[in-house]
PDB file of all heavy atoms in Angstrom:
ATOM      1  N   MET A   1       0.842  -1.188   0.000  1.00  0.00           N
ATOM      2  CA  MET A   1       0.000   0.000   0.000  1.00  0.00           C
ATOM      3  C   MET A   1       0.884   1.248   0.000  1.00  0.00           C
ATOM      4  O   MET A   1       1.737   1.413   0.880  1.00  0.00           O
ATOM      5  CB  MET A   1      -0.911   0.002   1.235  1.00  0.00           C
ATOM      6  CG  MET A   1      -1.858   1.178   1.296  1.00  0.00           C
ATOM      7  SD  MET A   1      -2.977   1.089   2.712  1.00  0.00           S
ATOM      8  CE  MET A   1      -3.965  -0.337   2.254  1.00  0.00           C
ATOM      9  N   LYS A   2       0.670   2.110  -0.954  1.00  0.00           N
ATOM     10  CA  LYS A   2       1.488   3.304  -1.101  1.00  0.00           C
ATOM     11  C   LYS A   2       0.957   4.433  -0.223  1.00  0.00           C
ATOM     12  O   LYS A   2      -0.235   4.728  -0.225  1.00  0.00           O
ATOM     13  CB  LYS A   2       1.496   3.749  -2.566  1.00  0.00           C
ATOM     14  CG  LYS A   2       2.388   4.964  -2.832  1.00  0.00           C
ATOM     15  CD  LYS A   2       2.366   5.343  -4.303  1.00  0.00           C
ATOM     16  CE  LYS A   2       3.208   6.572  -4.566  1.00  0.00           C
ATOM     17  NZ  LYS A   2       3.168   6.967  -5.992  1.00  0.00           N
ATOM     18  N   ILE A   3       1.861   5.073   0.518  1.00  0.00           N
ATOM     19  CA  ILE A   3       1.511   6.218   1.346  1.00  0.00           C
ATOM     20  C   ILE A   3       1.673   7.489   0.520  1.00  0.00           C
ATOM     21  O   ILE A   3       2.733   7.719  -0.077  1.00  0.00           O
ATOM     22  CB  ILE A   3       2.414   6.291   2.603  1.00  0.00           C
ATOM     23  CG1 ILE A   3       2.272   5.006   3.431  1.00  0.00           C
ATOM     24  CG2 ILE A   3       2.071   7.519   3.435  1.00  0.00           C
ATOM     25  CD1 ILE A   3       0.888   4.749   3.971  1.00  0.00           C
ATOM     26  N   GLU A   4       0.641   8.315   0.484  1.00  0.00           N
ATOM     27  CA  GLU A   4       0.715   9.573  -0.256  1.00  0.00           C
ATOM     28  C   GLU A   4       1.498  10.605   0.542  1.00  0.00           C
ATOM     29  O   GLU A   4       1.282  10.767   1.747  1.00  0.00           O
ATOM     30  CB  GLU A   4      -0.695  10.108  -0.548  1.00  0.00           C
ATOM     31  CG  GLU A   4      -1.499   9.251  -1.497  1.00  0.00           C
ATOM     32  CD  GLU A   4      -2.781   9.938  -1.934  1.00  0.00           C
ATOM     33  OE1 GLU A   4      -2.708  11.079  -2.427  1.00  0.00           O
ATOM     34  OE2 GLU A   4      -3.859   9.344  -1.770  1.00  0.00           O
ATOM     35  N   ASN A   5       2.389  11.297  -0.116  1.00  0.00           N
ATOM     36  CA  ASN A   5       3.153  12.385   0.501  1.00  0.00           C
ATOM     37  C   ASN A   5       2.464  13.700   0.177  1.00  0.00           C
ATOM     38  O   ASN A   5       2.610  14.243  -0.918  1.00  0.00           O
ATOM     39  CB  ASN A   5       4.590  12.373  -0.021  1.00  0.00           C
ATOM     40  CG  ASN A   5       5.466  13.388   0.697  1.00  0.00           C
ATOM     41  OD1 ASN A   5       5.112  13.861   1.777  1.00  0.00           O
ATOM     42  ND2 ASN A   5       6.593  13.722   0.093  1.00  0.00           N
ATOM     43  N   ILE A   6       1.678  14.193   1.142  1.00  0.00           N
ATOM     44  CA  ILE A   6       0.842  15.377   0.907  1.00  0.00           C
ATOM     45  C   ILE A   6       1.140  16.434   1.965  1.00  0.00           C
ATOM     46  O   ILE A   6       1.242  16.124   3.157  1.00  0.00           O
ATOM     47  CB  ILE A   6      -0.658  15.010   0.959  1.00  0.00           C
ATOM     48  CG1 ILE A   6      -0.970  13.967  -0.121  1.00  0.00           C
ATOM     49  CG2 ILE A   6      -1.526  16.242   0.744  1.00  0.00           C
ATOM     50  CD1 ILE A   6      -2.402  13.501  -0.091  1.00  0.00           C
ATOM     51  N   ARG A  14      -7.298  17.111  -1.090  1.00  0.00           N
ATOM     52  CA  ARG A  14      -7.062  15.755  -1.600  1.00  0.00           C
ATOM     53  C   ARG A  14      -8.184  14.821  -1.159  1.00  0.00           C
ATOM     54  O   ARG A  14      -8.630  13.951  -1.923  1.00  0.00           O
ATOM     55  CB  ARG A  14      -5.703  15.244  -1.105  1.00  0.00           C
ATOM     56  CG  ARG A  14      -5.402  13.798  -1.491  1.00  0.00           C
ATOM     57  CD  ARG A  14      -5.444  13.577  -2.990  1.00  0.00           C
ATOM     58  NE  ARG A  14      -5.175  12.175  -3.322  1.00  0.00           N
ATOM     59  CZ  ARG A  14      -5.771  11.532  -4.312  1.00  0.00           C
ATOM     60  NH1 ARG A  14      -6.649  12.161  -5.089  1.00  0.00           N
ATOM     61  NH2 ARG A  14      -5.480  10.268  -4.553  1.00  0.00           N
ATOM     62  N   ILE A  18     -10.702  12.510  -3.550  1.00  0.00           N
ATOM     63  CA  ILE A  18     -10.975  11.081  -3.380  1.00  0.00           C
ATOM     64  C   ILE A  18     -12.474  10.832  -3.286  1.00  0.00           C
ATOM     65  O   ILE A  18     -13.001   9.888  -3.893  1.00  0.00           O
ATOM     66  CB  ILE A  18     -10.256  10.540  -2.130  1.00  0.00           C
ATOM     67  CG1 ILE A  18      -8.743  10.584  -2.337  1.00  0.00           C
ATOM     68  CG2 ILE A  18     -10.708   9.111  -1.817  1.00  0.00           C
ATOM     69  CD1 ILE A  18      -7.934  10.303  -1.077  1.00  0.00           C
TER      70      ILE A  18
END
Side-chain angles (χ1 to χ4, degrees):
M1 182 177 293
K2 183 179 178 181
I3 301 298
E4 293 190 54
N5 186 18
I6 300 177
R14 176 58 181 143
I18 293 170

